[in-house]
C-alpha cells in the first residue's frame, strides 16, 4: 500500500481543507502526492514555497449560468464551468464535458490531471477543463445547438488561441465543437481557428484528431507489452464504453491483431466472442446515437447483451477502460487478475479506483495510467493548433506518425523516470514524477505565480 510521504502530509491536508467535499479532486491529488515522496527526498526544494499547494490551486475558476429554450418553448437552466488550472507551460488546454454529473470537483480533478498530462506530452500547453451539467441524451439537434450557443455566449470572454483552448470530452464531439466555434466566430468577428480543437476538417480541424485518444492509448499499451516481448496479436481485449475513445481504441487494437470481445455503454455491455464488429458499433452509437443493446439485437445469436453487471467479469488478456472515472473498482480488478489480465491501459480519465490500481500494481500487471496512456488526444490537439497557426493541413499519415512518436516518447519518459526513481515498471510513479517535475520547474522559473 502506498502512502503520502510525511513531508507531503500537511500539503495534502491543506488541499483537502481548502476543497471540501470534492471527492474526485481529492482522489486525483492524493494519487499524485503518493508518488512525490521520492521527488522531495531527492529535491527537497519542491516541498518549499508552497509550490505543491500552488500546483493544486487552479489559477482561475469560472462558474456561470447557461439559460436556453427547449423545443417546447420552456426555459431551461444549466450550470457552466471552466477551470483554468495552470498556464506555466502554455495556454490552458483541455476538453469540455457535458454530462449530468458534472460539478466543480469533477472539473477540478480533470483540470489537475490535464495539467500533468499536457506536461508529459512536452508540448507548449497548460491545463484546463470545463463543461456543464447539461445532459445531451434525448435532446434534439436544435436543442443541442441552442445550448452550445448559450454556453459559448458566456465562455467566449475567457478564451483565445493564446489564452485558453477547449476541445471535446464526454458528450462533446465534432458536432458540438462546430456549434460552439460558430458562436465564438459570430461573437468575436474573428476567424480564430486555434481557439478550439477537435474541429471538423473543412473548417480547420486536424486529420487523426478524432482517432487520436483511442489510437494513442493503444500505442501506449503496445509499448508496455513490448517491454515484456508481448503484443496485442491474438490477445483477447475488453474495452469499456462505446464513445469516441472506446471506438478508436477498438479500431487500433484490431489493426494490431487483437480481438475485442466486449464493449459497453452506461446501461450495459455486449459480448461478441467472434470479435466486436466496430463498424456496427459506430453505426449504432455515432450515427444512430442509440444504446449498445442494439448491437446484440442486430447480431442475433452471435452476441449477447448484459444489462447492468460488470464488463470486467469478461475474461481477457488486456483491459482498456474508456468510459468514465471510477468505473473499474477493486472487485473488478480482482476479477481481472483472477482471469489472467496482463495489461491495463486507461483510455478514460481515472477510470480505475485507487484500490483497483493498487491491486494491479501488486499483481505485477502492466498498468498505464490515464495521464500518460490517453495523452494522444490532447497531443494531437496541440498538432491541430500548430496546423492552424501555420495555416497548414497535414495528411492523416503524417499526423498519425507524429502521434505514434509522441506516444512512444511518453511511454519511454514514464519508464525511464520510474527506473531513475527506483521503481522500474511502475508507470504510475513514472508519469506522476515526470509530469510534476516539468510543471514545477516552469513554475519555479516564473517566480511566485
Ligand atoms: P463519449 O461521450 O464519446 O463516450 C463516453 C462513453 O462512455 C459512452 O459510450 C457512454 O455511454 C459511456 N459511459 C458513460 N458512463 C458510463 C458508465 N458508468 N459505464 C459504462 N459506460 C459509460 O466520451 P469520450 O469517449 O470522449 O470520453 C471517454 C473518456 O475518455 C472520458 O473519461 C474522457 O475524459 C476521456 N478522454 C477523452 C478524450 C477525448 O479526446 N475525447 C481525451 C482524453 C481522455 P452512454 O452512451 O450510455 O452515455
Amino acid at each position: 500500500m502506498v502512502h503520502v510521504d510525511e513531508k507531503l502530509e500537511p500539503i495534502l491536508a491543506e488541499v483537502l481543507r481548502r476543497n471540501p467535499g470534492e471527492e474526485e479532486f481529492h482522489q486525483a491529488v492524493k494519487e499524485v502526492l503518493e508518488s512525490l515522496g521520492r521527488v522531495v527526498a531527492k529535491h527537497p526544494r519542491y516541498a518549499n514555497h508552497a509550490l505543491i499547494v500552488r500546483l493544486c490551486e487552479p489559477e482561475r475558476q469560472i462558474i456561470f449560468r447557461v439559460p436556453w429554450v427547449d423545443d417546447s418553448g420552456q426555459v431551461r437552466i444549466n450550470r457552466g464551468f471552466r477551470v483554468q488550472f495552470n498556464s506555466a507551460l502554455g495556454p490552458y488546454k483541455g476538453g469540455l464535458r457535458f454530462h449530468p454529473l458534472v460539478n466543480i470537483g469533477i472539473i477540478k480533478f480533470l483540470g489537475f490531471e490535464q495539467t500533468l498530462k499536457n506536461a508529459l506530452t512536452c508540448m507548449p500547453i497548460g491545463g484546463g477543463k470545463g463543461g456543464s451539467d447539461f445532459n445531451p441524451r434525448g435532446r434534439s439537434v436544435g436543442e443541442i445547438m441552442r445550448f452550445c450557443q448559450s454556453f459559448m455566449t458566456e465562455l467566449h470572454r475567457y478564451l483565445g488561441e493564446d489564452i485558453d483552448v477547449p476541445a471535446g470530452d464526454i458528450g462533446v464531439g465534432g458536432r458540438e465543437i462546430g456549434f460552439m466555434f460558430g458562436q465564438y466566430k459570430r461573437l468575436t468577428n474573428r476567424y480564430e481557428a486555434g481557439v478550439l480543437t477537435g474541429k471538423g476538417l473543412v473548417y480547420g480541424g486536424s486529420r487523426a484528431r478524432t482517432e487520436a485518444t483511442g489510437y494513442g492509448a493503444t500505442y501506449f499499451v503496445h509499448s508496455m507489452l513490448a517491454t515484456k516481448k508481448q503484443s496485442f496479436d491474438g490477445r483477447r481485449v475488453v474495452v469499456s464504453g462505446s464513445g469516441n475513445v472506446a471506438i478508436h481504441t477498438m479500431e487500433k487494437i484490431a489493426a494490431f491483431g487483437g480481438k475485442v470481445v466486449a464493449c459497453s455503454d452506461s446501461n450495459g455491455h455486449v459480448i461478441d466472442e467472434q470479435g466486436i464488429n466496430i463498424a456496427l458499433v459506430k453505426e449504432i452509437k455515432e450515427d444512430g446515437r442509440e444504446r449498445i443493446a442494439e448491437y446484440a439485437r442486430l447480431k442475433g445469436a452471435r452476441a449477447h447483451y448484459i444489462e447492468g453487471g460488470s464488463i470486467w467479469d469478461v475474461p481477457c488478456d488486456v483491459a482498456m477502460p474508456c468510459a468514465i472515472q471510477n468505473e473499474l473498482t477493486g472487485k473488478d480488478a480482482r476479477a481481472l487478475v483472477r482471469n489472467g489480465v496482463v495489461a491495463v491501459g486507461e483510455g478514460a480519465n481515472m477510470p480505475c479506483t485507487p484500490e483497483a490500481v493498487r491491486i494491479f500494481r501488486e499483481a505485477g500487471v502492466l498498468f498505464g495510467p490515464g495521464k500518460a496512456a490517453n495523452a494522444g488526444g490532447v497531443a494531437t490537439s496541440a498538432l491541430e493548433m500548430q496546423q492552424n497557426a501555420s495555416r497548414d493541413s497535414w495528411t492523416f499519415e503524417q499526423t498519425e506518425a507524429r502521434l505514434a512518436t509522441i506516444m512512444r516518447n511518453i511511454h519511454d519518459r514514464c519508464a525511464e523516470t520510474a527506473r531513475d526513481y527506483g521503481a522500474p515498471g511502475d508507470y504510475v510513479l513514472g508519469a506522476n514524477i515526470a509530469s510534476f517535475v516539468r510543471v514545477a520547474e516552469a513554475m519555479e522559473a516564473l517566480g511566485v505565480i
Side-chain angles (χ1 to χ4, degrees):
M1 182 76 183
V2 195
H3 287 293
V4 172
D5 183 272
E6 62 178 24
K7 279 205 203 67
L8 299 171
E9 266 172 15
I11 295 175
L12 178 63
E14 173 73 352
V15 174
L16 302 189
R17 187 189 66 75
R18 290 174 68 80
N19 303 280
E22 296 176 357
E23 276 168 41
E24 290 83 0
F25 182 53
H26 297 175
Q27 184 182 331
V29 169
K30 186 155 184 272
E31 190 226 77
V32 171
L33 293 194
E34 279 174 354
S35 297
L36 298 187
R38 292 171 200 237
V39 182
V40 293
K42 207 166 171 177
H43 309 286
R45 70 178 197 280
Y46 285 137
N48 301 333
H49 311 301
L51 183 85
I52 299 175
V53 178
R54 279 187 282 140
L55 185 77
C56 295
E57 180 75 17
E59 289 176 17
R60 191 173 296 115
Q61 306 180 50
I62 303 147
I63 303 183
F64 52 98
R65 179 171 68 201
V66 190
W68 56 284
V69 181
D70 72 14
D71 285 346
S72 68
Q74 202 184 327
V75 176
R76 304 266 181 174
I77 302 291
N78 284 97
R79 191 168 288 172
F81 302 90
R82 186 71 183 166
V83 172
Q84 298 182 329
F85 218 102
N86 194 301
S87 60
L89 292 172
Y92 310 107
K93 180 87 199 84
L96 298 170
R97 174 177 292 191
F98 292 169
H99 187 278
L101 297 181
V102 161
N103 58 41
I104 188 68
I106 289 190
I107 298 297
K108 276 164 70 176
F109 119 63
L110 289 164
F112 177 75
E113 285 285 294
Q114 192 81 48
T115 298
L116 297 170
K117 177 190 311 190
N118 294 2
L120 264 186
T121 67
C122 288
M123 295 167 107
I125 40 178
K129 200 82 188 190
S132 172
D133 58 0
F134 172 71
N135 186 358
R137 172 117 39 105
R139 290 290 168 201
S140 70
V141 178
E143 288 177 320
I144 288 182
M145 182 180 74
R146 290 194 295 280
F147 176 81
C148 289
Q149 289 176 337
S150 180
F151 183 82
M152 186 50 89
T153 299
E154 180 60 29
L155 186 67
H156 86 280
R157 312 171 203 287
Y158 310 103
L159 306 184
E161 60 189 8
D162 294 322
I163 304 169
D164 184 353
V165 182
D169 191 79
I170 294 179
V172 179
R175 179 180 67 179
E176 291 74 20
I177 293 289
F179 293 150
M180 287 190 270
F181 183 68
Q183 186 72 351
Y184 183 86
K185 195 173 77 57
R186 289 174 73 197
L187 288 163
T188 59
N189 194 29
R190 284 161 62 87
Y191 205 102
E192 193 183 336
V195 75
L196 284 170
T197 59
K199 298 182 296 294
L201 284 185
V202 290
Y203 65 94
S206 171
R207 293 187 176 81
R209 173 60 187 93
T210 310
E211 294 81 359
T213 308
Y215 281 19
T218 312
Y219 281 125
F220 191 91
V221 174
H222 173 79
S223 294
M224 288 201 304
L225 289 168
T227 63
K228 303 277 179 209
K229 305 212 174 340
Q230 296 182 25
S231 75
F232 273 108
D233 200 21
R235 297 286 196 173
R236 280 172 67 88
V237 187
V238 169
V239 176
S240 64
S242 47
N244 171 282
V245 178
I247 284 174
H248 297 102
T249 297
M250 295 195 273
E251 208 167 82
K252 191 48 91 182
I253 291 167
F256 275 131
K259 183 160 87 168
V260 180
V261 291
C263 67
S264 62
D265 64 17
S266 53
N267 292 102
H269 61 277
V270 281
I271 304 173
D272 186 340
E273 286 295 341
Q274 290 171 43
I276 294 281
N277 178 332
I278 299 152
L280 182 59
V281 176
K282 276 189 176 175
E283 232 172 78
I284 294 168
K285 297 296 289 189
E286 280 185 351
D287 308 337
R289 295 180 190 268
E290 292 177 61
R291 312 310 303 154
I292 201 69
E294 193 63 7
Y295 183 96
R297 201 183 63 76
L298 292 170
K299 280 286 174 193
R302 189 181 131 172
H304 63 283
Y305 171 68
I306 299 173
E307 181 99 22
S310 173
I311 191 172
W312 309 116
D313 289 337
V314 180
C316 61
D317 304 306
V318 179
M320 297 198 56
C322 295
I324 200 159
Q325 67 273 0
N326 293 327
E327 54 159 309
L328 196 162
T329 64
K331 180 169 164 285
D332 296 326
R334 273 188 284 276
L336 283 164
V337 169
R338 209 168 37 244
N339 288 329
V341 74
V342 295
V344 177
E346 292 188 322
N349 284 312
M350 211 170 74
C352 299
T353 64
E355 189 191 5
V357 177
R358 180 178 56 76
I359 290 166
F360 292 138
R361 289 164 87 186
E362 284 175 3
V365 172
L366 291 165
F367 179 77
K371 69 172 69 66
N374 71 35
V378 74
T380 309
S381 276
L383 299 179
E384 182 172 334
M385 291 162 75
Q386 247 181 65
Q387 292 169 75
N388 294 150
S390 57
R391 302 198 189 282
D392 198 359
S393 166
W394 307 342
T395 63
F396 193 96
E397 291 68 28
Q398 188 182 357
T399 320
E400 197 191 345
R402 289 283 301 267
L403 168 67
T405 307
I406 290 167
M407 293 313 298
R408 204 169 37 249
N409 290 342
I410 293 174
H411 169 273
D412 295 352
R413 200 167 297 128
C414 294
E416 276 161 28
T417 306
R419 237 186 349 259
D420 290 351
Y421 281 84
D426 188 339
Y427 291 92
V428 172
L429 198 99
N432 286 338
I433 293 181
S435 58
F436 166 78
V437 168
R438 200 169 157 80
V439 182
E441 261 185 39
M443 286 181 71
E444 272 189 316
L446 300 182
V448 175
I449 57 164

